[in-house]
Amino acid sequence: MTAIDKKLFKKLYVNKFLEMHGIELKEGSNQQKYEALGSLVRDYVTRTWLKTNKKYNKTGEKQVYYFSMEFLLGRLLGDSLLNIGIRDVCREALAELNISLEELENLEQDQGLGNGGLGRLAACFLDSMASLNIPGHGCGIRYKYGFFEQKVIDGKQVEVSDNWLRQGNVWEKRNANKAEIVKFGGNIKVEENNGRLSFIHVNYEPVLAVPYDTPVVGYENDVVNTLRLWSAEAVSNEFDFSSFSRGDFLQAIEYKNSVESISQVLYPEDSFYEGKMLRLKQQYFFVSSGIQSIIRHFKKHGGNILELDEKVAIHINDTHPTLAIPELMRILLDEEGLPWEDAWRITENTISYTNHTILSEALEKWPIDMFKNLLPRIFMLVEEINRRYCEELWSKFPGQQNKIANMAIIGDGQVKMAHLAIVGSHSVNGVAKLHTEILKKKEMSDFYYLYPNKFNNKTNGITHRRWLLKSNPKLTKLLCDTIGDGFIKHPIDLQKFESHLDDKGILDELAKIKLQNKQKLAKTIFENEKIIVDPNSIFDVQVKRIHAYKRQTMNCLRIMDLYNKLIDNPNLDISPRTFIFAGKAAPGYYLAKNTIELINNIANKVNNDPRVNEKIKVVFMENYRVSLAEEIIPGTDVSEQISTTTKEASGTSNMKFMMNGALTVATLDGANIEIRDEVGNDNIVIFGLNADEVLNYYKNGGYSALETYNNDPRIKNILNDLINGKYHSDRDRFKTIYENLLTYNDEFFVLKDFDSYLKAQDKVDSLYREKDTWQRMCGVNISHSGIFSSDRTIEQYATGIWGSEVIYKNL
Ligand code: 26Q
């Protein structure tokens, strides 16, 4: 991109503002100033975007398409400026116009089209693909309403719709000329022409899929890739009001509403599958439009359909886009006229699949009737895929009927999406070493036996551009001053920082930066939550979706225990701590919502008790989202990664905290294990059951929550506190939590791990007192975080799965 200086930037900005708003800059609102800046940046990016696309078309490089129901981008202005390389110029130019860049950046609505880890991972991957010169694009849904906005009223979560497009979206470009038609329902007419069967879809409901493209800017490398999100609209000639009589008019309205509902809202459940037809519709809608447009583009530029798999890689983010497999088959067979064998080879070679969860309740299985009625041709293809695959199974496992029934794609009246995803792709990966091992040895062991070469691990990563450079400028500066800026393009070089950790001056700097970040966070906490917290206390943070397996309740129980201890012994010598929580619960998940209420009630009690206020405070921060995470993480001392071992596939906030110099308290779950391996046992605090122990309990039993309760007076006391009115005048208020822990034998081993957790926290307390040791540990974490950059992850996907060329130019 052409270099730009302060003077030129100022001129362009002032002109842009005038042109856009028709008033002078000084009369404009901050919102208008933000819009002008966004628009200027978009124009600036557009030229490089065009150039990038031209280059891709000319060179015919392999294109990667990352299909995902979710892209949790957050804000784009700051990161785009950073990646273009003009954020400092822009800040200085605006300052001369008396405008604060940060203030404008904070006006941007988060683009919250995702639930959590999986959606944010997709966003980090887009950033890394562009920054590594990989022609990699996103394909998803342009939800009119993203993940709901969370309000806390009387301690309880209330969901408000996220009208993120209210003020417009400067980043997207509607491309009506690239719309596709997606067909739902109807019937399939089979005809024979010249000895070949053709399948004609009739009586279907057509839906117009209109793409909205957002530029994805690579880091200082003149690459701009595309995130294409599809929006559902009525096909216009089907919806001509004037030509309808009254009955038809109502029908037309119904049609329009039904069509528009497809891209209306993101489902807010991230760990519980419900067979909702609208969700299946969403899946087929974006998958079909995405694949159609890929093939159209491929052919337009002279691609030979038999070589599709050499020129295109399609990655599916969990099973949600699995219909890509039969949809690609449909196009290759029905529209391109290929024989089954060719179509299948191309499809399998083109598609790869990532699994993100082993919770069985999250597995997608669609009722056959629903599937068949909504997608009649796709169902026929899935049946045929299943028939051929079962034949293969019969020859591999003769006589083993049960095994074959369990492995089939269609069975028990359902279509099993994970099975289809494994069978129809050439690569299946987990997201951390332990997770992949569990897939291979346990959850998917039959499939691993059948296709050992498909299975591989790709440990998750996070983009250090957003999660370090952008969100923690002070730490970034210290790193640049100490080890140079090479780590920006080679994050693994953060390792160089380790040799400086014997320098007391550096440790003091680290402490100073952390304190400043905590002061900023404390200010936000006060502004948002009206709670005063002490930046000199330990900021102990658990922010993530609220879920039983993530064990926010265990964190609550230890606070309740500590509170009791402080009341019993006001002189108890502890390092003051501020416990910070944030996260959303799925609207229908009672236990998770109840947990939010418990956190808030503990906060209420503790924060209003002068006997303990010098020592502990509890905060629940409303409406956790990407932009809030960017504020919380740099100001964190202790990162709570306390899931029941085996349940968290990877986790990614663990990596963000580490990169920002927090100490992790963790179970040996997901990527925590790899973090431990990187930093060593002395620089992380590990506790709790290991994977073998947990799996053994699940398999053989032998754990009694009641026994643990009876043998540990601390546990007895705090569990009783849940139901004795201490935290709510209605004693039944937290009974569900109580019963899950005790009556239903504590599925997630909260009580079992409790003692070990308290000891881990005691250790944190004593470590924090040794200021230099503490800072050194934080420094070691930063130094070893480079491997968790999504640049490393993406490079592994590119070389190990997609077969894309990784070009190191500009690196
Ligand atoms: C499925 C069917 C119907 C409705 C919703 C869903 C659904 C939606 C979202 C199921 C799962 C999700 C999201 C899962 C997720 O975020 N998993 C997390 O992925 C991260 C990235 O790999 C991991 O780090 C986390 O460990 C994992 O929990």
Side-chain angles (χ1 to χ4, degrees):
M1 273 175 241
T2 42
I4 195 166
D5 65 13
K6 210 164 54 177
K7 199 165 145 224
L8 178 60
F9 190 92
K10 257 168 56 177
K11 190 172 144 216
L12 291 171
Y13 180 67
V14 171
N15 283 344
K16 183 79 193 180
F17 188 92
L18 192 71
E19 193 184 293
M20 235 181 130
H21 301 299
I23 52 173
E24 276 190 53
L25 187 59
K26 60 177 186 299
E27 294 161 17
S29 68
N30 273 352
Q31 176 64 28
Q32 288 172 318
K33 290 175 191 165
Y34 159 73
E35 282 163 16
L37 181 59
S39 168
L40 182 65
V41 174
R42 189 204 46 215
D43 293 350
Y44 193 69
V45 164
T46 300
R47 268 165 251 144
T48 319
W49 201 6
L50 274 172
K51 234 173 60 189
T52 306
N53 284 330
K54 266 202 185 133
K55 176 182 156 253
Y56 291 160
N57 293 337
K58 201 168 111 206
T59 61
E61 293 165 77
K62 190 168 194 178
Q63 303 289 306
V64 177
Y65 298 94
Y66 197 82
F67 276 46
S68 177
M69 286 286 270
E70 310 194 358
F71 286 94
L72 192 44
L73 298 185
R75 292 175 176 149
L76 294 181
L77 177 56
D79 288 78
S80 303
L81 285 168
L82 181 89
N83 282 6
I84 301 167
I86 59 167
R87 193 152 175 254
D88 290 335
V89 169
C90 172
R91 181 187 295 106
E92 288 160 22
L94 290 177
E96 289 182 9
L97 297 165
N98 283 324
I99 298 171
S100 145
L101 172 63
E102 272 73 17
E103 254 178 58
L104 297 194
E105 284 178 356
N106 288 339
L107 284 177
E108 183 176 353
Q109 281 280 327
D110 274 44
Q111 186 159 331
L113 308 186
N115 272 284
L118 169 148
R120 183 55 231 174
L121 187 76
C124 285
F125 281 6
L126 291 181
D127 185 70
S128 284
M129 288 192 289
S131 297
L132 292 177
N133 306 306
I134 293 170
H137 315 282
C139 177
I141 299 176
R142 179 183 181 267
Y143 301 103
K144 184 163 178 205
Y145 297 98
F147 196 24
F148 66 82
E149 187 188 329
Q150 178 193 55
K151 297 245 184 260
V152 176
I153 297 177
D154 291 337
K156 293 189 270 289
Q157 168 175 299
V158 174
E159 301 91 23
V160 178
S161 62
D162 164 49
N163 191 358
W164 69 288
L165 290 164
R166 193 174 23 218
Q167 318 241 40
N169 171 10
V170 289
W171 307 113
E172 67 185 12
K173 162 102 177 58
R174 179 184 161 96
N175 275 320
N177 59 332
K178 295 192 177 149
E180 300 285 349
I181 299 275
V182 180
K183 301 174 181 176
F184 290 103
N187 329 87
I188 306 301
K189 247 179 40 191
V190 187
E191 283 177 6
E192 202 194 311
N193 292 320
N194 305 328
R196 194 186 154 101
L197 295 180
S198 50
F199 299 85
I200 300 156
H201 201 162
V202 293
N203 301 327
Y204 56 82
E205 181 180 78
V207 173
L208 189 71
V210 180
Y212 286 70
D213 291 347
T214 298
V216 180
V217 184
Y219 185 79
E220 294 188 359
N221 65 351
D222 274 353
V223 169
V224 178
N225 287 338
T226 302
L227 168 60
R228 174 162 287 183
L229 300 179
W230 297 91
S231 177
E233 294 183 12
V235 176
S236 61
N237 57 5
E238 304 277 327
F239 184 63
D240 180 355
F241 278 113
S242 58
S243 69
F244 283 105
S245 65
R246 192 180 141 67
D248 290 343
F249 175 77
L250 290 179
Q251 230 179 337
I253 298 270
E254 222 167 79
Y255 162 67
K256 183 169 186 281
N257 286 341
S258 123
V259 165
E260 286 173 358
S261 70
I262 295 173
S263 53
Q264 191 81 358
V265 62
L266 167 80
Y267 276 97
E269 286 82 30
D270 73 333
S271 49
F272 185 75
Y273 160 78
E274 245 184 310
K276 292 239 177 70
M277 178 146 84
L278 184 57
R279 168 109 183 157
L280 185 60
K281 248 183 160 170
Q282 290 186 329
Q283 297 187 345
Y284 186 64
F285 166 73
F286 94 94
V287 158
S288 175
S289 22
I291 302 236
Q292 290 186 65
S293 87
I294 290 168
I295 305 254
R296 192 180 306 283
H297 182 82
F298 175 73
K299 287 175 61 179
K300 184 171 151 196
H301 292 91
N304 171 356
I305 200 75
L306 285 167
E307 291 165 4
L308 184 77
D309 52 328
E310 288 162 36
K311 295 290 177 188
V312 168
I314 295 175
H315 199 87
I316 59 176
N317 199 18
D318 216 291
T319 54
H320 319 151
T322 301
L323 292 170
I325 293 163
E327 176 65 2
L328 183 53
M329 285 297 284
R330 182 188 71 76
I331 294 176
L332 296 176
L333 294 166
D334 296 359
E335 294 183 13
E336 300 299 327
L338 297 190
W340 182 280
E341 289 69 22
D342 285 340
W344 185 247
R345 173 185 53 77
I346 294 170
T347 299
E348 196 180 353
N349 288 342
T350 302
I351 297 203
S352 47
Y353 152 61
T354 298
N355 173 287
H356 294 264
T357 185
I358 50 168
L359 297 182
S360 55
E361 62 268 32
L363 289 180
E364 291 194 292
K365 297 173 191 145
W366 298 101
I368 287 180
D369 283 343
M370 181 195 288
F371 196 111
K372 196 177 179 167
N373 289 333
L374 188 68
L375 309 167
R377 178 62 185 139
I378 293 298
F379 184 72
M380 290 168 79
L381 292 166
V382 174
E383 272 186 314
E384 182 58 14
I385 294 171
N386 186 50
R387 193 188 64 76
R388 290 172 184 246
Y389 159 67
C390 286
E391 253 174 33
E392 184 188 337
L393 292 180
W394 281 112
S395 69
K396 283 258 164 64
F397 308 111
Q400 299 190 49
Q401 200 168 337
N402 280 347
K403 190 189 200 85
I404 294 170
N406 285 335
M407 292 177 78
I409 296 167
I410 303 177
D412 316 315
Q414 294 168 318
V415 181
K416 298 172 184 171
M417 300 306 260
H419 298 189
L420 179 56
I422 299 170
V423 174
S425 59
H426 66 280
S427 167
V428 178
N429 76 282
V431 290
K433 282 181 190 159
L434 174 69
H435 171 58
T436 302
E437 283 312 302
I438 294 175
L439 290 180
K440 293 202 296 197
K441 306 274 158 61
K442 253 183 69 72
E443 302 305 312
M444 297 180 168
S445 58
D446 288 341
F447 294 93
Y448 178 53
Y449 181 82
L450 185 64
Y451 307 123
N453 299 328
K454 285 194 186 188
F455 284 77
N456 63 92
N457 175 247
K458 296 285 169 282
T459 299
N460 281 167
I462 55 164
T463 168
H464 60 289
R465 287 166 289 275
R466 179 177 293 258
W467 297 107
L468 177 58
L469 309 196
K470 157 90 191 324
S471 65
N472 202 340
K474 294 194 171 80
L475 178 56
T476 304
K477 178 164 188 314
L478 173 66
L479 290 166
C480 287
D481 291 348
T482 315
I483 59 171
D485 62 6
F487 75 91
I488 295 178
K489 291 208 166 174
H490 297 281
I492 207 78
D493 286 356
L494 280 168
Q495 265 172 10
K496 294 182 181 159
F497 191 53
E498 193 165 10
S499 64
H500 296 268
L501 296 175
D502 292 326
D503 179 342
K504 170 93 172 102
I506 294 285
L507 298 183
D508 289 346
E509 270 305 303
L510 274 180
K512 195 170 120 200
I513 289 166
K514 183 63 76 176
L515 181 63
Q516 287 170 343
N517 289 337
K518 285 164 74 178
Q519 283 162 341
K520 187 161 170 255
L521 177 56
K523 193 162 161 274
T524 306
I525 290 175
F526 182 70
E527 281 165 9
N528 296 3
E529 312 299 335
K530 304 289 171 282
I531 298 172
I532 297 174
V533 299
D534 176 7
N536 290 307
S537 63
I538 300 175
F539 278 15
D540 177 321
V541 176
Q542 187 176 19
V543 289
K544 48 184 80 253
R545 287 300 290 263
I546 312 291
H547 197 289
Y549 85 77
K550 296 182 188 277
R551 300 200 294 192
Q552 281 92 356
T553 43
M554 189 164 75
N555 196 346
C556 288
L557 292 180
R558 64 108 178 201
I559 300 170
M560 291 161 66
D561 177 65
L562 184 58
Y563 179 53
N564 287 348
K565 285 180 179 142
L566 283 169
I567 296 296
D568 287 350
N569 175 10
N571 294 323
L572 189 71
D573 181 24
I574 60 160
S575 312
R577 272 204 219 204
T578 302
F579 302 96
I580 299 169
F581 293 84
K584 294 175 185 175
Y589 187 0
Y590 181 78
L591 185 66
K593 291 182 123 174
N594 204 214
T595 304
I596 292 180
E597 198 177 350
L598 177 63
I599 297 168
N600 281 307
N601 284 30
I602 296 173
N604 216 354
K605 180 123 194 124
V606 166
N607 299 347
N608 292 307
D609 189 335
R611 293 172 297 178
V612 301
N613 269 184
E614 300 285 295
K615 302 248 171 87
I616 57 174
K617 282 271 173 78
V618 181
V619 180
F620 183 88
M621 297 188 78
E622 200 174 60
N623 201 28
Y624 187 57
R625 60 197 186 284
V626 173
S627 57
L628 189 60
E630 287 173 40
E631 274 201 60
I632 294 174
I633 292 169
T636 293
D637 295 307
V638 176
S639 154
E640 298 282 344
Q641 306 299 337
I642 60 178
S643 54
T644 308
T645 304
T646 72
K647 296 287 180 188
E648 189 70 275
S650 161
T652 41
S653 74
N654 44 5
M655 303 166 183
K656 295 165 195 162
F657 282 113
M658 159 195 207
M659 194 175 271
N660 283 275
L663 183 71
T664 310
V665 174
T667 49
L668 285 176
D669 197 16
N672 299 344
I673 299 176
E674 289 155 76
I675 294 179
R676 192 270 319 258
D677 292 346
E678 274 297 320
V679 301
N681 275 315
D682 291 346
N683 296 295
I684 187 168
V685 181
I686 298 292
F687 74 97
L689 294 172
N690 65 31
D692 288 340
E693 290 166 330
V694 168
L695 292 173
N696 186 49
Y697 277 125
Y698 280 134
K699 193 160 165 223
N700 302 317
Y703 165 55
S704 160
L706 189 63
E707 206 177 294
T708 315
Y709 167 91
N710 282 325
N711 290 334
D712 189 332
R714 296 167 308 184
I715 293 184
K716 207 172 209 170
N717 278 334
I718 46 182
L719 283 205
N720 289 345
D721 285 347
L722 280 177
I723 51 161
N724 67 9
K726 186 163 179 171
Y727 291 99
H728 204 291
S729 54
D730 170 5
R731 289 165 181 240
D732 284 344
R733 198 71 217 164
F734 303 120
K735 205 161 171 194
T736 312
I737 296 177
Y738 176 88
E739 285 181 339
N740 266 282
L741 292 173
L742 220 49
T743 325
Y744 304 119
N745 204 32
D746 185 17
E747 186 188 343
F748 296 105
F749 301 104
V750 171
L751 305 186
K752 181 78 193 166
D753 277 348
F754 190 68
D755 179 63
S756 165
Y757 184 47
L758 290 194
K759 291 196 173 104
Q761 296 296 353
D762 285 345
K763 188 167 171 199
V764 168
D765 190 290
S766 55
L767 288 169
Y768 194 73
R769 291 160 196 253
E770 304 293 325
K771 291 295 170 216
D772 286 347
T773 316
W774 181 273
Q775 289 310 330
R776 196 171 190 292
M777 291 191 304
C778 297
V780 171
N781 273 274
I782 297 165
S783 313
H784 287 267
S785 65
I787 192 137
F788 298 107
S789 163
S790 44
D791 288 4
R792 184 267 311 151
T793 315
I794 282 300
E795 197 188 313
Q796 293 176 336
Y797 274 87
T799 54
I801 300 180
W802 302 327
S804 19
E805 249 178 283
V806 178
I807 309 160
Y808 287 96
K809 77 155 204 238
N810 289 333
L811 285 187

